[in-house]
Amino acid sequence: ENDRLTHDAERLRWENEELTEKLQQAKMELLVAHEEASKLNSDLQLLQRRSLSTTNLEQDVNHLRLEMSQTNLIKQALLDEVSVLKSQNRRLFRLNTEQRILLGSSGGDASV
């Protein structure tokens, strides 16, 4: 009976050492996994900040495109106005020339 108890105690001591080693190994693996999870979390936060930055840049680009579109509309309106003014200027010049010719042929002052 004593031998059996000694044998059981020895077997339990060996199993305990084996389980202790496995526990230590599991603790080390858990630490490594925790470090990797922490690094992945940092990487995720960086990517989220970059994504937010990219979103802000896209919004800025869209805003600038809208401003450019509005500027082009204003530019086109100004070009149209210039065209109208040129046309009016040509008409007034033609009328002025006709008036000078008429005044010149009627003996009036042609320098008006």
Side-chain angles (χ1 to χ4, degrees), residues 40-53:
L40 288 173
N41 191 38
S42 294
D43 290 348
L44 177 62
Q45 289 174 353
L46 178 64
L47 287 173
Q48 287 171 334
R49 284 193 301 272
R50 285 183 182 169
S51 176
L52 181 59
S53 177

Side-chain angles (χ1 to χ4, degrees), residues 63-81:
H63 181 73
L64 289 173
R65 284 183 178 152
L66 178 62
E67 285 184 3
M68 192 169 72
S69 176
Q70 291 170 342
T71 301
N72 284 336
L73 288 174
I74 291 169
K75 176 184 167 188
Q76 187 58 50
L78 289 172
L79 288 173
D80 292 346
E81 185 67 22

